[in-house]
């Protein structure tokens, strides 16, 4: 007889009763600002596709051409027989763009964190010091280590320093922070983090998945934003957001790359990415470097939309990036707002407990360079209609 699986239904029923089930809508075509979702035309405000590169002709054709030449897959893990010249070309292009010696590309941003973090500490004589609002993939990576752990209040540099002082005797000290915090759209004070790290002899690890292609000159990321090249030990990122493709990024020194290549289990034990994906990764970086108008347009849209939302009376929290939350308070209000906006043809997802605190539910809007001013004005009019019904303005 099979094992008792009744616990699974109980957990499902519990989530259903609390309105916490994930019920993803279905895209019926490309993920772009004007899309087809669940059978109707929709304006997309919930994609990570900040630069609208998922359908860029150069990126798409690079993927098609490489697939025709190399085949659909690589046939092995990278460490054995799955490294092709196109993978190395993509990594060299990333390093050029980031202004570092080398890079290593993983299968996803998640696999960077769960594979790299455990390789950087050895045991309880070491300490990982993590921002309280760090992404779940960082938390998972930390859990896979045997290091001591400490958490500091979100972006609280006084508390970070206190934790560093309390762990001065630790062998290795590793500070980990998101660059852009994905729920609130605020950024880490990386300049202050690195200054404290230097004072107390700590390593710095920044996950810049939502800053890649967004922050810095031309989208080079948070390290470039603060002009901290050479002062951040581990800069990680993602191709699956602003760069419109898929995959994770580690950027740094040649020694950092060599360490990760030899010790990061999620890289060593994952199948090599299809060559078409690697070619698209390289092409996306080239587009970002050669066509700065996408980055400029993203910030034009971001500044306009945030200002107009605030002028309507909505609370956009601490956002300073293209992630612009509309604070709702209770989860039920956020879910109701998503439903009402959906009826008007706008996809803007509700972020509710346990992803955020019980009283911090919000609609998370995300800007795209592909949104026109007419698109934004249409969305704003929808927010203006829905807000009073839910007591938000």
């Amino acid at each position: 007889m099979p094992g008792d699986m009744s616990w699974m239904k109980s957990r499902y029923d519990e989530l259903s009763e609390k309105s916490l089930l994930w019920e993803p809508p279905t895209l019926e075509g490309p993920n772009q600002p004007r899309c087809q979702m669940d059978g109707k035309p929709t304006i997309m405000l919930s994609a990570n596709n900040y630069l609208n590169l998922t359908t860029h002709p150069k990126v798409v054709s690079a993927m098609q051409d490489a697939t025709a030449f190399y085949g659909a897959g690589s046939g092995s893990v990278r460490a054995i027989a799955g490294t092709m010249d196109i993978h190395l070309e993509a990594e060299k292009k990333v390093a050029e763009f980031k202004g570092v010696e080398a890079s290593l590309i993983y299968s996803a941003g998640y696999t960077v964190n769960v594979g790299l973090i455990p390789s950087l500490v050895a045991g309880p004589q070491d300490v990982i010091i993590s921002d309280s609002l760090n992404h779940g993939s960082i938390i998972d990576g930390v859990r896979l280590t045997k290091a001591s752990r400490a958490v500091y209040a979100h972006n609280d540099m006084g508390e970070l320093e206190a934790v560093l002082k309390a762990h001065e005797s630790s062998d290795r000290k590793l500070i980990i922070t998101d660059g852009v915090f994905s729920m609130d759209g605020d950024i880490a004070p990386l300049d202050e983090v690195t200054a404290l790290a230097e004072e107390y002899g700590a390593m710095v690890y920044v996950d810049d998945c939502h800053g890649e292609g967004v922050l810095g000159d031309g989208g080079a990321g948070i390290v470039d934003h603060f002009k901290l090249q050479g002062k951040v030990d581990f800069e990680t990122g993602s191709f699956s957001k602003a760069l419109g493709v898929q995959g994770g990024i580690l950027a740094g020194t040649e020694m950092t790359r060599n360490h990760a290549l030899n010790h990061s289990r999620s890289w060593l034990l994952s199948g090599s990415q299809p060559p078409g994906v690697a070619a698209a990764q390289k092409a996306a970086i080239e587009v970002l470097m050669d066509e700065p108008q996408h980055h400029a347009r993203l910030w034009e849209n971001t500044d306009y939309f945030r200002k107009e939302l605030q002028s309507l009376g909505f609370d956009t929290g601490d956002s300073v990036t293209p992630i612009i939350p509309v604070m709702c308070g209770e989860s039920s209000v956020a879910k109701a707002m998503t439903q009402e906006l959906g009826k008007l043809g706008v996809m803007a997802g509700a972020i509710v407990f346990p992803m955020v605190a019980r009283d911090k539910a919000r609609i998370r809007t995300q800007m795209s360079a592909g949104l026109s001013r007419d698109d934004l004005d249409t969305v704003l009019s929808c927010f203006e209609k829905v807000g009073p019904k839910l007591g938000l303005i």
Side-chain angles (χ1 to χ4, degrees):
M1 294 289 292
D4 178 15
M5 305 291 280
S6 60
W7 60 270
M8 199 176 288
K9 184 177 185 304
S10 296
R11 292 185 68 178
Y12 179 90
D13 291 342
E14 181 183 358
L15 289 174
S16 181
E17 290 169 8
K18 295 178 179 179
S19 299
L20 295 176
L21 285 174
W22 284 104
E23 299 174 294
T26 301
L27 274 166
E28 297 153 359
N31 192 328
Q32 52 191 9
R34 289 276 184 171
C35 60
Q36 185 80 4
M37 178 172 278
D38 286 342
K40 65 180 181 181
T42 301
I43 298 178
M44 173 60 74
L45 284 191
S46 286
N48 297 322
N49 188 22
Y50 300 115
L51 297 175
N52 198 35
L53 297 187
T54 59
T55 54
H56 193 288
K58 293 180 182 178
V59 177
V60 174
S61 64
M63 177 175 279
Q64 293 172 332
D65 293 346
T67 301
F69 180 77
Y70 292 96
S74 302
S76 179
V77 295
R78 285 277 305 270
I80 299 177
T83 293
M84 295 177 164
D85 53 1
I86 189 61
H87 295 113
L88 300 179
E89 289 171 17
E91 289 171 344
K92 288 177 181 177
K93 184 57 64 174
V94 170
E96 177 188 348
F97 175 60
K98 304 289 285 185
V100 295
E101 287 182 359
S103 79
L104 189 67
I105 294 177
Y106 285 67
S107 61
Y110 182 90
T111 55
V112 178
N113 287 336
V114 298
L116 181 60
I117 292 171
S119 77
L120 303 178
V121 288
Q125 70 275 16
D126 304 325
V127 64
I128 295 175
I129 305 170
S130 184
D131 187 286
S132 63
L133 293 187
N134 276 343
H135 191 267
S137 62
I138 293 175
I139 294 170
D140 287 353
V142 172
R143 285 173 174 166
L144 289 172
T145 77
K146 296 179 181 180
S148 301
R149 305 162 193 178
V151 176
Y152 61 95
H154 178 51
N155 282 347
D156 187 329
M157 295 298 98
E159 189 163 327
L160 173 57
E161 182 167 20
V163 173
L164 285 165
K165 284 182 178 178
H167 291 273
E168 278 189 284
S169 62
S170 295
D171 285 357
R172 300 180 203 165
K173 296 179 278 290
L174 177 64
I175 303 170
I176 306 181
T177 181
D178 273 324
V180 175
F181 291 88
S182 60
M183 295 296 114
D184 293 284
D186 58 336
I187 66 175
L190 196 59
D191 52 346
E192 298 178 61
V193 171
T194 54
L196 286 170
E198 187 171 352
E199 181 177 352
Y200 289 92
M203 299 179 289
V204 176
Y205 183 119
V206 60
D207 179 334
D208 201 30
C209 281
H210 284 275
E212 206 78 68
V214 174
L215 297 178
D217 291 342
I222 192 168
V223 172
D224 182 78
H225 174 78
F226 283 104
K227 304 305 176 191
L228 293 171
Q229 286 84 350
K231 294 188 176 182
V232 174
D233 302 284
F234 310 100
E235 181 182 1
T236 71
S238 173
F239 278 103
S240 64
K241 296 176 172 58
L243 295 171
V245 192
Q246 190 268 339
I249 297 168
L250 167 63
T253 64
E254 189 68 42
M255 182 57 68
T256 297
R257 183 183 190 276
N258 288 336
H259 171 85
L261 188 153
N262 284 282
H263 297 283
S264 185
R265 288 166 65 87
S266 62
W267 189 87
L268 287 163
L269 303 179
S270 292
S272 175
Q273 287 194 305
V277 172
Q281 291 167 341
K282 178 174 178 282
I285 294 290
E286 289 170 343
V287 167
L288 187 53
M289 295 173 73
D290 297 340
E291 301 176 15
Q293 65 268 26
H294 305 295
H295 182 254
R297 178 70 185 201
L298 170 65
W299 280 99
E300 288 174 13
N301 285 346
T302 296
D303 294 339
Y304 176 76
F305 191 71
R306 182 189 294 111
K307 179 182 176 182
E308 293 301 313
L309 275 178
Q310 292 172 346
S311 71
L312 289 172
F314 288 104
D315 178 3
T316 59
D318 298 323
S319 169
V320 293
T321 68
I323 298 171
I324 306 174
V326 176
M327 306 305 293
C328 298
E330 295 300 320
S331 294
S332 59
V333 176
K335 283 183 168 287
M337 190 169 198
T338 287
Q339 292 169 359
E340 291 297 319
L341 289 170
K343 293 174 185 177
L344 298 173
V346 175
M347 172 56 184
I351 306 296
V352 300
F353 178 82
M355 296 178 73
V356 291
R358 292 182 185 275
D359 61 343
K360 297 291 186 182
R362 78 283 307 268
I363 299 296
R364 183 176 66 170
T365 71
Q366 295 169 267
M367 290 294 96
S368 168
L371 288 162
S372 69
R373 184 58 59 89
D374 285 344
D375 292 334
L376 295 178
D377 287 339
T378 297
V379 170
L380 288 164
S381 70
C382 294
F383 271 91
E384 190 173 14
K385 290 175 184 175
V386 171
K389 293 182 182 180
L390 300 174
L392 293 176
I393 57 174

